mmCIF file of all heavy atoms in Angstrom:
data_model
loop_
_atom_site.group_PDB
_atom_site.id
_atom_site.type_symbol
_atom_site.label_atom_id
_atom_site.label_comp_id
_atom_site.label_asym_id
_atom_site.label_seq_id
_atom_site.Cartn_x
_atom_site.Cartn_y
_atom_site.Cartn_z
ATOM 1 N N MET A 7 0.852 -1.156 -0.002
ATOM 2 C CA MET A 7 -0.004 0.000 0.010
ATOM 3 C C MET A 7 0.888 1.213 -0.009
ATOM 4 O O MET A 7 1.922 1.238 0.666
ATOM 5 C CB MET A 7 -0.907 -0.014 1.244
ATOM 6 C CG MET A 7 -1.565 1.301 1.436
ATOM 7 S SD MET A 7 -2.305 1.403 3.055
ATOM 8 C CE MET A 7 -3.255 2.881 2.765
ATOM 9 N N GLN A 8 0.452 2.277 -0.690
ATOM 10 C CA GLN A 8 1.162 3.532 -0.674
ATOM 11 C C GLN A 8 0.326 4.570 0.062
ATOM 12 O O GLN A 8 -0.854 4.627 -0.114
ATOM 13 C CB GLN A 8 1.437 4.023 -2.083
ATOM 14 C CG GLN A 8 2.480 3.145 -2.801
ATOM 15 C CD GLN A 8 2.899 3.752 -4.106
ATOM 16 O OE1 GLN A 8 2.140 4.561 -4.701
ATOM 17 N NE2 GLN A 8 4.015 3.349 -4.613
ATOM 18 N N LEU A 9 0.992 5.331 0.926
ATOM 19 C CA LEU A 9 0.345 6.289 1.764
ATOM 20 C C LEU A 9 1.088 7.598 1.662
ATOM 21 O O LEU A 9 2.306 7.644 1.936
ATOM 22 C CB LEU A 9 0.314 5.826 3.214
ATOM 23 C CG LEU A 9 -0.265 6.708 4.270
ATOM 24 C CD1 LEU A 9 -1.761 6.895 4.051
ATOM 25 C CD2 LEU A 9 -0.007 6.167 5.638
ATOM 26 N N ALA A 10 0.415 8.686 1.252
ATOM 27 C CA ALA A 10 1.041 10.016 1.145
ATOM 28 C C ALA A 10 0.973 10.687 2.518
ATOM 29 O O ALA A 10 -0.125 10.869 3.068
ATOM 30 C CB ALA A 10 0.356 10.850 0.096
ATOM 31 N N VAL A 11 2.127 11.114 3.060
ATOM 32 C CA VAL A 11 2.182 11.754 4.340
ATOM 33 C C VAL A 11 2.866 13.129 4.187
ATOM 34 O O VAL A 11 3.969 13.173 3.689
ATOM 35 C CB VAL A 11 2.979 10.892 5.353
ATOM 36 C CG1 VAL A 11 3.053 11.586 6.698
ATOM 37 C CG2 VAL A 11 2.347 9.522 5.495
ATOM 38 N N GLU A 12 2.143 14.174 4.599
ATOM 39 C CA GLU A 12 2.700 15.521 4.450
ATOM 40 C C GLU A 12 4.018 15.632 5.236
ATOM 41 O O GLU A 12 4.129 15.198 6.368
ATOM 42 C CB GLU A 12 1.698 16.528 5.008
ATOM 43 C CG GLU A 12 2.102 17.961 4.796
ATOM 44 C CD GLU A 12 1.065 18.947 5.250
ATOM 45 O OE1 GLU A 12 -0.158 18.608 5.247
ATOM 46 O OE2 GLU A 12 1.462 20.038 5.649
ATOM 47 N N GLY A 13 5.019 16.190 4.596
ATOM 48 C CA GLY A 13 6.297 16.385 5.203
ATOM 49 C C GLY A 13 7.220 15.191 5.133
ATOM 50 O O GLY A 13 8.399 15.242 5.446
ATOM 51 N N VAL A 14 6.670 14.019 4.710
ATOM 52 C CA VAL A 14 7.476 12.798 4.590
ATOM 53 C C VAL A 14 7.513 12.318 3.164
ATOM 54 O O VAL A 14 8.542 11.859 2.676
ATOM 55 C CB VAL A 14 6.913 11.698 5.524
ATOM 56 C CG1 VAL A 14 7.646 10.413 5.360
ATOM 57 C CG2 VAL A 14 6.946 12.130 6.976
ATOM 58 N N GLY A 15 6.378 12.410 2.468
ATOM 59 C CA GLY A 15 6.280 11.903 1.116
ATOM 60 C C GLY A 15 5.446 10.674 1.068
ATOM 61 O O GLY A 15 4.630 10.395 1.922
ATOM 62 N N VAL A 16 5.669 9.872 0.042
ATOM 63 C CA VAL A 16 4.893 8.627 -0.143
ATOM 64 C C VAL A 16 5.604 7.473 0.512
ATOM 65 O O VAL A 16 6.797 7.206 0.270
ATOM 66 C CB VAL A 16 4.685 8.327 -1.638
ATOM 67 C CG1 VAL A 16 3.955 7.015 -1.831
ATOM 68 C CG2 VAL A 16 3.899 9.472 -2.324
ATOM 69 N N LEU A 17 4.908 6.776 1.400
ATOM 70 C CA LEU A 17 5.435 5.603 2.068
ATOM 71 C C LEU A 17 4.859 4.320 1.475
ATOM 72 O O LEU A 17 3.678 4.263 1.151
ATOM 73 C CB LEU A 17 5.090 5.604 3.560
ATOM 74 C CG LEU A 17 5.589 6.804 4.354
ATOM 75 C CD1 LEU A 17 5.054 6.753 5.766
ATOM 76 C CD2 LEU A 17 7.102 6.861 4.370
ATOM 77 N N CYS A 18 5.692 3.315 1.296
ATOM 78 C CA CYS A 18 5.252 2.013 0.798
ATOM 79 C C CYS A 18 5.207 1.084 2.013
ATOM 80 O O CYS A 18 6.214 0.820 2.643
ATOM 81 C CB CYS A 18 6.147 1.476 -0.268
ATOM 82 S SG CYS A 18 6.165 2.473 -1.783
ATOM 83 N N LEU A 19 4.020 0.614 2.346
ATOM 84 C CA LEU A 19 3.796 -0.205 3.510
ATOM 85 C C LEU A 19 3.197 -1.559 3.210
ATOM 86 O O LEU A 19 2.348 -1.648 2.328
ATOM 87 C CB LEU A 19 2.887 0.521 4.523
ATOM 88 C CG LEU A 19 3.333 1.931 4.955
ATOM 89 C CD1 LEU A 19 2.223 2.514 5.790
ATOM 90 C CD2 LEU A 19 4.633 1.897 5.683
ATOM 91 N N GLY A 20 3.621 -2.563 3.911
ATOM 92 C CA GLY A 20 2.965 -3.863 3.820
ATOM 93 C C GLY A 20 1.863 -3.876 4.854
ATOM 94 O O GLY A 20 1.736 -2.974 5.706
ATOM 95 N N TYR A 21 1.021 -4.898 4.814
ATOM 96 C CA TYR A 21 -0.061 -4.966 5.817
ATOM 97 C C TYR A 21 -0.504 -6.413 6.034
ATOM 98 O O TYR A 21 -0.261 -7.293 5.173
ATOM 99 C CB TYR A 21 -1.269 -4.098 5.441
ATOM 100 C CG TYR A 21 -2.050 -4.562 4.245
ATOM 101 C CD1 TYR A 21 -3.135 -5.395 4.372
ATOM 102 C CD2 TYR A 21 -1.673 -4.210 2.947
ATOM 103 C CE1 TYR A 21 -3.877 -5.838 3.306
ATOM 104 C CE2 TYR A 21 -2.391 -4.632 1.875
ATOM 105 C CZ TYR A 21 -3.471 -5.465 2.043
ATOM 106 O OH TYR A 21 -4.173 -5.903 0.938
ATOM 107 N N GLU A 22 -1.117 -6.650 7.170
ATOM 108 C CA GLU A 22 -1.744 -7.938 7.470
ATOM 109 C C GLU A 22 -3.151 -7.629 8.013
ATOM 110 O O GLU A 22 -3.362 -6.565 8.565
ATOM 111 C CB GLU A 22 -0.938 -8.697 8.514
ATOM 112 C CG GLU A 22 0.372 -9.215 7.998
ATOM 113 C CD GLU A 22 1.020 -10.246 8.893
ATOM 114 O OE1 GLU A 22 0.259 -11.017 9.581
ATOM 115 O OE2 GLU A 22 2.229 -10.308 8.949
ATOM 116 N N THR A 23 -4.024 -8.572 7.822
ATOM 117 C CA THR A 23 -5.377 -8.403 8.317
ATOM 118 C C THR A 23 -5.658 -9.509 9.341
ATOM 119 O O THR A 23 -5.164 -10.610 9.252
ATOM 120 C CB THR A 23 -6.431 -8.510 7.195
ATOM 121 O OG1 THR A 23 -6.312 -9.764 6.560
ATOM 122 C CG2 THR A 23 -6.256 -7.422 6.188
ATOM 123 N N PHE A 24 -6.447 -9.105 10.354
ATOM 124 C CA PHE A 24 -6.805 -10.037 11.402
ATOM 125 C C PHE A 24 -8.328 -9.912 11.634
ATOM 126 O O PHE A 24 -8.804 -8.841 11.923
ATOM 127 C CB PHE A 24 -6.093 -9.682 12.698
ATOM 128 C CG PHE A 24 -4.563 -9.728 12.587
ATOM 129 C CD1 PHE A 24 -3.831 -8.617 12.225
ATOM 130 C CD2 PHE A 24 -3.929 -10.944 12.857
ATOM 131 C CE1 PHE A 24 -2.472 -8.683 12.119
ATOM 132 C CE2 PHE A 24 -2.507 -10.986 12.750
ATOM 133 C CZ PHE A 24 -1.786 -9.872 12.373
ATOM 134 N N ALA A 25 -9.008 -11.038 11.518
ATOM 135 C CA ALA A 25 -10.444 -11.034 11.786
ATOM 136 C C ALA A 25 -10.652 -10.982 13.300
ATOM 137 O O ALA A 25 -9.982 -11.718 14.045
ATOM 138 C CB ALA A 25 -11.060 -12.308 11.233
ATOM 139 N N LEU A 26 -11.540 -10.119 13.743
ATOM 140 C CA LEU A 26 -11.832 -10.019 15.193
ATOM 141 C C LEU A 26 -13.037 -10.860 15.536
ATOM 142 O O LEU A 26 -13.979 -10.997 14.746
ATOM 143 C CB LEU A 26 -12.093 -8.536 15.520
ATOM 144 C CG LEU A 26 -10.936 -7.608 15.238
ATOM 145 C CD1 LEU A 26 -11.317 -6.170 15.614
ATOM 146 C CD2 LEU A 26 -9.646 -7.989 15.955
ATOM 147 N N ALA A 27 -13.021 -11.443 16.710
ATOM 148 C CA ALA A 27 -14.125 -12.279 17.162
ATOM 149 C C ALA A 27 -15.388 -11.441 17.305
ATOM 150 O O ALA A 27 -15.359 -10.278 17.664
ATOM 151 C CB ALA A 27 -13.772 -12.939 18.493
ATOM 152 N N GLY A 28 -16.496 -12.075 17.015
ATOM 153 C CA GLY A 28 -17.791 -11.419 17.172
ATOM 154 C C GLY A 28 -18.608 -11.458 15.889
ATOM 155 O O GLY A 28 -18.037 -11.686 14.818
ATOM 156 N N PRO A 29 -19.873 -11.227 16.000
ATOM 157 C CA PRO A 29 -20.768 -11.352 14.839
ATOM 158 C C PRO A 29 -20.702 -10.118 13.907
ATOM 159 O O PRO A 29 -21.276 -10.154 12.801
ATOM 160 C CB PRO A 29 -22.146 -11.426 15.480
ATOM 161 C CG PRO A 29 -22.019 -10.698 16.790
ATOM 162 C CD PRO A 29 -20.619 -10.971 17.215
ATOM 163 N N GLU A 30 -20.011 -9.046 14.283
ATOM 164 C CA GLU A 30 -20.015 -7.815 13.472
ATOM 165 C C GLU A 30 -19.156 -7.952 12.219
ATOM 166 O O GLU A 30 -19.270 -7.154 11.296
ATOM 167 C CB GLU A 30 -19.505 -6.633 14.304
ATOM 168 C CG GLU A 30 -20.351 -6.305 15.506
ATOM 169 C CD GLU A 30 -19.973 -7.148 16.730
ATOM 170 O OE1 GLU A 30 -18.984 -7.882 16.695
ATOM 171 O OE2 GLU A 30 -20.729 -7.079 17.714
ATOM 172 N N GLY A 31 -18.215 -8.857 12.171
ATOM 173 C CA GLY A 31 -17.356 -8.997 11.036
ATOM 174 C C GLY A 31 -16.257 -7.963 10.918
ATOM 175 O O GLY A 31 -15.790 -7.631 9.844
ATOM 176 N N HIS A 32 -15.816 -7.427 12.073
ATOM 177 C CA HIS A 32 -14.780 -6.398 12.076
ATOM 178 C C HIS A 32 -13.418 -7.030 11.710
ATOM 179 O O HIS A 32 -13.149 -8.166 12.007
ATOM 180 C CB HIS A 32 -14.704 -5.735 13.446
ATOM 181 C CG HIS A 32 -15.874 -4.937 13.778
ATOM 182 N ND1 HIS A 32 -15.793 -3.809 14.591
ATOM 183 C CD2 HIS A 32 -17.185 -5.042 13.437
ATOM 184 C CE1 HIS A 32 -16.980 -3.278 14.712
ATOM 185 N NE2 HIS A 32 -17.842 -4.028 14.003
ATOM 186 N N VAL A 33 -12.595 -6.203 11.104
ATOM 187 C CA VAL A 33 -11.239 -6.622 10.711
ATOM 188 C C VAL A 33 -10.237 -5.589 11.160
ATOM 189 O O VAL A 33 -10.503 -4.389 11.044
ATOM 190 C CB VAL A 33 -11.135 -6.812 9.147
ATOM 191 C CG1 VAL A 33 -9.748 -7.195 8.751
ATOM 192 C CG2 VAL A 33 -12.181 -7.807 8.678
ATOM 193 N N LEU A 34 -9.126 -6.017 11.691
ATOM 194 C CA LEU A 34 -8.047 -5.146 12.107
ATOM 195 C C LEU A 34 -6.958 -5.191 11.041
ATOM 196 O O LEU A 34 -6.516 -6.258 10.605
ATOM 197 C CB LEU A 34 -7.445 -5.638 13.463
ATOM 198 C CG LEU A 34 -6.192 -4.887 13.954
ATOM 199 C CD1 LEU A 34 -6.533 -3.452 14.323
ATOM 200 C CD2 LEU A 34 -5.595 -5.621 15.140
ATOM 201 N N TYR A 35 -6.566 -3.996 10.545
ATOM 202 C CA TYR A 35 -5.506 -3.931 9.552
ATOM 203 C C TYR A 35 -4.254 -3.345 10.264
ATOM 204 O O TYR A 35 -4.323 -2.329 10.950
ATOM 205 C CB TYR A 35 -5.880 -2.928 8.447
ATOM 206 C CG TYR A 35 -6.992 -3.489 7.568
ATOM 207 C CD1 TYR A 35 -8.328 -3.273 7.893
ATOM 208 C CD2 TYR A 35 -6.713 -4.197 6.425
ATOM 209 C CE1 TYR A 35 -9.365 -3.750 7.106
ATOM 210 C CE2 TYR A 35 -7.751 -4.703 5.616
ATOM 211 C CZ TYR A 35 -9.057 -4.462 5.955
ATOM 212 O OH TYR A 35 -10.061 -4.956 5.159
ATOM 213 N N VAL A 36 -3.108 -4.039 10.097
ATOM 214 C CA VAL A 36 -1.872 -3.572 10.674
ATOM 215 C C VAL A 36 -0.909 -3.261 9.539
ATOM 216 O O VAL A 36 -0.630 -4.139 8.711
ATOM 217 C CB VAL A 36 -1.257 -4.638 11.620
ATOM 218 C CG1 VAL A 36 0.078 -4.186 12.179
ATOM 219 C CG2 VAL A 36 -2.242 -4.986 12.724
ATOM 220 N N TYR A 37 -0.455 -2.010 9.453
ATOM 221 C CA TYR A 37 0.430 -1.548 8.393
ATOM 222 C C TYR A 37 1.841 -1.408 8.930
ATOM 223 O O TYR A 37 2.006 -0.992 10.059
ATOM 224 C CB TYR A 37 -0.048 -0.209 7.822
ATOM 225 C CG TYR A 37 -1.370 -0.298 7.132
ATOM 226 C CD1 TYR A 37 -2.561 -0.115 7.824
ATOM 227 C CD2 TYR A 37 -1.432 -0.587 5.785
ATOM 228 C CE1 TYR A 37 -3.750 -0.215 7.206
ATOM 229 C CE2 TYR A 37 -2.660 -0.680 5.146
ATOM 230 C CZ TYR A 37 -3.817 -0.500 5.838
ATOM 231 O OH TYR A 37 -5.022 -0.612 5.218
ATOM 232 N N PHE A 38 2.842 -1.782 8.136
ATOM 233 C CA PHE A 38 4.210 -1.737 8.556
ATOM 234 C C PHE A 38 5.178 -1.559 7.393
ATOM 235 O O PHE A 38 4.884 -2.010 6.309
ATOM 236 C CB PHE A 38 4.568 -3.022 9.335
ATOM 237 C CG PHE A 38 4.230 -4.259 8.556
ATOM 238 C CD1 PHE A 38 5.148 -4.807 7.677
ATOM 239 C CD2 PHE A 38 2.993 -4.862 8.681
ATOM 240 C CE1 PHE A 38 4.819 -5.951 6.945
ATOM 241 C CE2 PHE A 38 2.652 -5.979 7.933
ATOM 242 C CZ PHE A 38 3.581 -6.535 7.080
ATOM 243 N N PRO A 39 6.280 -0.878 7.627
ATOM 244 C CA PRO A 39 7.306 -0.748 6.599
ATOM 245 C C PRO A 39 8.252 -1.969 6.622
ATOM 246 O O PRO A 39 8.292 -2.684 7.639
ATOM 247 C CB PRO A 39 8.064 0.525 7.003
ATOM 248 C CG PRO A 39 7.999 0.477 8.510
ATOM 249 C CD PRO A 39 6.646 -0.112 8.836
ATOM 250 N N ARG A 40 8.971 -2.167 5.554
ATOM 251 C CA ARG A 40 10.010 -3.181 5.541
ATOM 252 C C ARG A 40 11.157 -2.736 6.464
ATOM 253 O O ARG A 40 11.607 -1.586 6.345
ATOM 254 C CB ARG A 40 10.520 -3.414 4.100
ATOM 255 C CG ARG A 40 11.332 -4.674 3.928
ATOM 256 C CD ARG A 40 11.748 -4.931 2.488
ATOM 257 N NE ARG A 40 12.779 -3.926 2.142
ATOM 258 C CZ ARG A 40 12.700 -3.078 1.146
ATOM 259 N NH1 ARG A 40 11.643 -3.084 0.365
ATOM 260 N NH2 ARG A 40 13.690 -2.251 0.904
ATOM 261 N N THR A 41 11.586 -3.555 7.335
ATOM 262 C CA THR A 41 12.657 -3.215 8.297
ATOM 263 C C THR A 41 13.917 -2.716 7.543
ATOM 264 O O THR A 41 14.354 -3.359 6.622
ATOM 265 C CB THR A 41 13.008 -4.452 9.161
ATOM 266 O OG1 THR A 41 11.831 -4.861 9.825
ATOM 267 C CG2 THR A 41 14.063 -4.108 10.205
ATOM 268 N N GLY A 42 14.415 -1.582 8.004
ATOM 269 C CA GLY A 42 15.611 -1.043 7.459
ATOM 270 C C GLY A 42 15.450 -0.239 6.167
ATOM 271 O O GLY A 42 16.413 0.290 5.613
ATOM 272 N N SER A 43 14.246 -0.141 5.685
ATOM 273 C CA SER A 43 13.958 0.570 4.430
ATOM 274 C C SER A 43 13.887 2.092 4.653
ATOM 275 O O SER A 43 13.856 2.520 5.807
ATOM 276 C CB SER A 43 12.611 0.107 3.799
ATOM 277 O OG SER A 43 11.527 0.479 4.653
ATOM 278 N N GLU A 44 13.864 2.837 3.585
ATOM 279 C CA GLU A 44 13.697 4.272 3.697
ATOM 280 C C GLU A 44 12.352 4.621 4.333
ATOM 281 O O GLU A 44 12.211 5.582 5.064
ATOM 282 C CB GLU A 44 13.792 4.945 2.335
ATOM 283 C CG GLU A 44 15.195 4.924 1.763
ATOM 284 C CD GLU A 44 15.281 5.604 0.414
ATOM 285 O OE1 GLU A 44 14.317 6.325 0.022
ATOM 286 O OE2 GLU A 44 16.314 5.427 -0.252
ATOM 287 N N ASP A 45 11.352 3.779 4.049
ATOM 288 C CA ASP A 45 10.019 3.984 4.647
ATOM 289 C C ASP A 45 10.060 3.794 6.160
ATOM 290 O O ASP A 45 9.452 4.528 6.897
ATOM 291 C CB ASP A 45 9.001 3.038 4.029
ATOM 292 C CG ASP A 45 8.904 3.191 2.530
ATOM 293 O OD1 ASP A 45 8.704 4.323 2.066
ATOM 294 O OD2 ASP A 45 9.077 2.202 1.798
ATOM 295 N N ASP A 46 10.822 2.817 6.611
ATOM 296 C CA ASP A 46 11.029 2.551 8.028
ATOM 297 C C ASP A 46 11.651 3.750 8.713
ATOM 298 O O ASP A 46 11.180 4.250 9.737
ATOM 299 C CB ASP A 46 11.874 1.317 8.222
ATOM 300 C CG ASP A 46 12.048 0.905 9.664
ATOM 301 O OD1 ASP A 46 11.196 1.209 10.506
ATOM 302 O OD2 ASP A 46 13.100 0.262 9.961
ATOM 303 N N THR A 47 12.692 4.289 8.103
ATOM 304 C CA THR A 47 13.410 5.443 8.634
ATOM 305 C C THR A 47 12.477 6.677 8.678
ATOM 306 O O THR A 47 12.445 7.379 9.693
ATOM 307 C CB THR A 47 14.665 5.786 7.775
ATOM 308 O OG1 THR A 47 15.514 4.636 7.787
ATOM 309 C CG2 THR A 47 15.403 6.993 8.299
ATOM 310 N N ALA A 48 11.708 6.876 7.621
ATOM 311 C CA ALA A 48 10.798 8.012 7.550
ATOM 312 C C ALA A 48 9.727 7.924 8.673
ATOM 313 O O ALA A 48 9.412 8.918 9.309
ATOM 314 C CB ALA A 48 10.139 8.103 6.191
ATOM 315 N N LEU A 49 9.201 6.740 8.905
ATOM 316 C CA LEU A 49 8.173 6.591 9.945
ATOM 317 C C LEU A 49 8.779 6.806 11.321
ATOM 318 O O LEU A 49 8.148 7.435 12.193
ATOM 319 C CB LEU A 49 7.541 5.190 9.894
ATOM 320 C CG LEU A 49 6.434 5.020 8.879
ATOM 321 C CD1 LEU A 49 5.944 3.576 8.876
ATOM 322 C CD2 LEU A 49 5.274 5.936 9.191
ATOM 323 N N ARG A 50 10.025 6.361 11.531
ATOM 324 C CA ARG A 50 10.672 6.577 12.826
ATOM 325 C C ARG A 50 10.919 8.058 13.055
ATOM 326 O O ARG A 50 10.720 8.553 14.210
ATOM 327 C CB ARG A 50 11.950 5.769 12.907
ATOM 328 C CG ARG A 50 11.725 4.284 12.998
ATOM 329 C CD ARG A 50 13.046 3.521 12.988
ATOM 330 N NE ARG A 50 12.806 2.083 12.916
ATOM 331 C CZ ARG A 50 12.489 1.296 13.954
ATOM 332 N NH1 ARG A 50 12.396 1.827 15.150
ATOM 333 N NH2 ARG A 50 12.280 0.014 13.775
ATOM 334 N N LEU A 51 11.377 8.765 12.027
ATOM 335 C CA LEU A 51 11.573 10.213 12.151
ATOM 336 C C LEU A 51 10.252 10.936 12.435
ATOM 337 O O LEU A 51 10.217 11.856 13.248
ATOM 338 C CB LEU A 51 12.251 10.750 10.892
ATOM 339 C CG LEU A 51 13.697 10.325 10.692
ATOM 340 C CD1 LEU A 51 14.162 10.800 9.303
ATOM 341 C CD2 LEU A 51 14.584 10.887 11.781
ATOM 342 N N LEU A 52 9.182 10.524 11.730
ATOM 343 C CA LEU A 52 7.893 11.118 11.944
ATOM 344 C C LEU A 52 7.412 10.890 13.387
ATOM 345 O O LEU A 52 6.939 11.821 14.050
ATOM 346 C CB LEU A 52 6.880 10.542 10.954
ATOM 347 C CG LEU A 52 5.466 11.095 10.997
ATOM 348 C CD1 LEU A 52 5.470 12.573 10.671
ATOM 349 C CD2 LEU A 52 4.618 10.348 10.010
ATOM 350 N N ALA A 53 7.580 9.661 13.899
ATOM 351 C CA ALA A 53 7.164 9.350 15.261
ATOM 352 C C ALA A 53 7.956 10.143 16.273
ATOM 353 O O ALA A 53 7.409 10.642 17.277
ATOM 354 C CB ALA A 53 7.316 7.856 15.513
ATOM 355 N N ALA A 54 9.255 10.310 16.047
ATOM 356 C CA ALA A 54 10.097 11.052 16.964
ATOM 357 C C ALA A 54 9.742 12.547 16.989
ATOM 358 O O ALA A 54 9.827 13.176 18.042
ATOM 359 C CB ALA A 54 11.577 10.904 16.558
ATOM 360 N N SER A 55 9.317 13.075 15.869
ATOM 361 C CA SER A 55 8.954 14.493 15.806
ATOM 362 C C SER A 55 7.652 14.799 16.480
ATOM 363 O O SER A 55 7.335 15.923 16.796
ATOM 364 C CB SER A 55 8.923 14.975 14.345
ATOM 365 O OG SER A 55 7.805 14.439 13.690
ATOM 366 N N ARG A 56 6.809 13.782 16.745
ATOM 367 C CA ARG A 56 5.512 13.941 17.362
ATOM 368 C C ARG A 56 5.589 13.844 18.898
ATOM 369 O O ARG A 56 4.554 13.928 19.543
ATOM 370 C CB ARG A 56 4.517 12.926 16.800
ATOM 371 C CG ARG A 56 4.425 12.962 15.323
ATOM 372 C CD ARG A 56 3.084 13.403 14.952
ATOM 373 N NE ARG A 56 3.006 13.471 13.475
ATOM 374 C CZ ARG A 56 2.175 14.217 12.868
ATOM 375 N NH1 ARG A 56 1.355 14.946 13.548
ATOM 376 N NH2 ARG A 56 2.115 14.258 11.567
ATOM 377 N N ARG A 57 6.749 13.571 19.421
ATOM 378 C CA ARG A 57 6.851 13.386 20.890
ATOM 379 C C ARG A 57 6.878 14.669 21.614
ATOM 380 O O ARG A 57 7.202 15.681 21.409
ATOM 381 C CB ARG A 57 8.142 12.633 21.232
ATOM 382 C CG ARG A 57 7.998 11.184 20.800
ATOM 383 C CD ARG A 57 9.198 10.414 21.201
ATOM 384 N NE ARG A 57 9.078 9.066 20.633
ATOM 385 C CZ ARG A 57 9.971 8.156 20.769
ATOM 386 N NH1 ARG A 57 11.052 8.398 21.434
ATOM 387 N NH2 ARG A 57 9.796 6.989 20.229
#
């Protein structure tokens, strides 16, 4: 998946889906960068700037 983030640019992220228990049919999506990639570095810098 590609995600445009202001001040960072376009990030390429992988994702996994997890079905949640219950009759509602909810799904949890977890997005993550490839370890050591430029996207990983950009997300870490973004997280550090928000502290």
Side-chain angles (χ1 to χ4, degrees):
M7 168 192 190
Q8 292 188 338
L9 177 66
V11 179
E12 186 176 332
V14 176
V16 176
L17 300 175
C18 295
L19 304 173
Y21 68 94
E22 289 194 33
T23 59
F24 300 91
L26 301 179
E30 298 85 8
H32 292 211
V33 177
L34 173 67
Y35 292 87
V36 178
Y37 294 90
F38 52 89
R40 193 176 73 237
T41 302
S43 67
E44 290 181 14
D45 302 306
D46 184 25
T47 301
L49 277 177
R50 290 175 188 278
L51 290 172
L52 182 62
S55 72
R56 304 246 179 204
R57 290 183 186 180

